[in-house]
Structure formats: structure tokens, C-alpha cells
Amino acid sequence: VVQDTLYYAEKNVGLMRVAGDTPQLLPGGEKFATERMDTMFPYADGRTLLVGTRSQGLFLYDGASFTPFKTEADEFLKTNMIYSGTRLANGDFAFGTIRGGVAIINRKGEWLRKLDMSSGLRDQTVIFSYSDRESALWLSFLNGIARVEIATPFSRFGSETGLESGVESIRRQKGILYAATHRGVYYMETKTPGEEGQNSFKPVAGIEAF
């Protein structure tokens, strides 16, 4: 149900809506006759709908036609298959997948963040997602639930990111974050949102511990 209208996908027919008591095939909805669809919610203007499909990616529906919504996360979403999704309080979108965790994109389709087991999730399969009134993201898995504070301004870097000693000083130089520790100086290797793994610290060659 989106904006008080019930939508559903009918196998071998397409994407339907219920008007009064009458099922209607949406214009262009026949292209989804053999497609699994698990997400649909309002886009930025409140009139257009954002529709997520398993194998064809994302579409925008303006009430008359479907237009592919090209994003930087297209390959990730198609490969890992959308299973859930929600619109966040700030207007961004979070999509849970069957085998890749969560992709967070903005209204322009730009990658913002990826959440998976390497960043602390319990599982890669995200069955349901929900954004609460405190802007936290709730996720349910095959083996439990999690609350992700995606809106927090703080980041924590511990031994899981490569820092295995006390940090004496930190500094950002030319866009790179450095940390001086009792075992030497480390720099943060930053990954793009679509890459596997999380940001981690690597030792700076030639600088010994003190």
C-alpha cells in the first residue's frame, strides 16, 4: 500500500493496482509480468513512485509510464537482488538484498554507503527494512534483527579496521586520514561504496614504531 493505494504483482499479467474494488493493470505494467517486485515507495516529489525489481533494477512511475532509474548501485542491486527497501527520513533510500546486505543511495542515484557483514551486520540477507522516527535503520535477517544508527555523526575505528595499538595522534592530509600509533603510522584505505569490505587502516611503509 502506497499513498492509500494497493499495488500488487500478478504473475503472467503485470503490476496491478486496486481502484475501488476493481483491479487494474498499470500502463506499462505488463513489462513486470514475470518479475518479482518487493519494494515501492514515494520518490522525491511525492507523486512519482520508486519501484524496485529483482532482476531489472529500479524504475520511476509517474502515473502514466515506467522509466528506468539509473544509479551507481545498479550492478550491485541486480547481482544481489532487491528484497526489501525503505525511504529514509532525509529522503535517501535503503535497499536490502538477498545476498549483499544493504545499499544506500540518494535521490540522484549516487552511492552513499553499503552495509554488510564486513561492517557489522549479522547476515547478508535483509528481509525487511524500516526507518524509525530517530532516523535509525532497522533491519531484519534470517537470524535476528539490527538497529543501525546511520544518521550518527560519529565513526568508530578499532582493531577490526587494522588499528591494533593505542592512537597518539590523528590527522587528515590531502584527503587521507592518518593515525600515529605505538606500532607506527597508519593511513586509511578508503573503498568506494560498491567495493567489497570496509575502510581499513594500512601501515605507512618506512615509519617504525616508537
Side-chain angles (χ1 to χ4, degrees), residues 168-189:
E168 293 288 342
S169 178
I170 58 174
R171 179 170 180 172
R172 191 178 297 277
Q173 177 71 16
K174 295 183 178 180
I176 301 175
L177 184 64
Y178 293 89
T181 78
H182 294 173
R183 296 188 178 182
V185 178
Y186 291 75
Y187 72 96
M188 174 167 281
E189 184 180 68

Side-chain angles (χ1 to χ4, degrees), residues 33-120:
T34 59
E35 179 67 272
R36 176 70 182 263
M37 310 173 72
D38 293 292
T39 60
M40 179 184 289
F41 31 80
Y43 186 58
D45 59 12
R47 298 183 300 274
T48 304
L49 301 182
L50 180 58
V51 180
T53 68
R54 286 280 178 92
S55 64
Q56 299 181 51
L58 301 172
F59 291 84
L60 294 175
Y61 175 65
D62 61 4
S65 61
F66 291 88
T67 304
F69 180 44
K70 299 298 184 181
T71 77
E72 295 176 353
D74 281 353
E75 183 177 352
F76 173 86
L77 294 175
K78 291 178 182 179
T79 299
N80 294 286
M81 296 185 289
I82 297 173
Y83 197 80
S84 62
T86 187
R87 182 177 177 181
L88 304 179
N90 64 357
D92 295 333
F93 304 101
F95 293 96
T97 67
I98 291 179
R99 53 187 178 221
V102 177
I104 299 178
I105 63 174
N106 62 20
R107 286 167 286 186
K108 296 180 181 180
E110 298 169 331
W111 257 116
L112 297 180
R113 191 173 180 185
K114 184 177 71 171
L115 303 171
D116 56 18
M117 292 181 70
S118 69
S119 55

Side-chain angles (χ1 to χ4, degrees), residues 76 99-102 111 113-126 139 141 148 156-162 189 191-201:
F76 173 86
R99 53 187 178 221
V102 177
W111 257 116
R113 191 173 180 185
K114 184 177 71 171
L115 303 171
D116 56 18
M117 292 181 70
S118 69
S119 55
L121 297 189
R122 297 173 59 99
D123 194 2
Q124 299 285 75
T125 302
V126 182
L139 305 172
F141 313 101
V148 185
R156 177 185 181 277
F157 305 112
S159 58
E160 72 280 358
T161 64
E189 184 180 68
K191 295 182 178 295
T192 60
E195 287 185 282
E196 293 296 325
Q198 62 176 330
N199 297 341
S200 60
F201 282 90

Side-chain angles (χ1 to χ4, degrees), residues 127-147:
I127 298 174
F128 186 76
S129 54
Y130 171 75
S131 180
D132 68 17
R133 59 188 177 186
E134 296 178 348
S135 299
L137 178 63
W138 288 82
L139 305 172
S140 66
F141 313 101
L142 296 173
N143 59 0
I145 63 174
R147 183 178 188 269

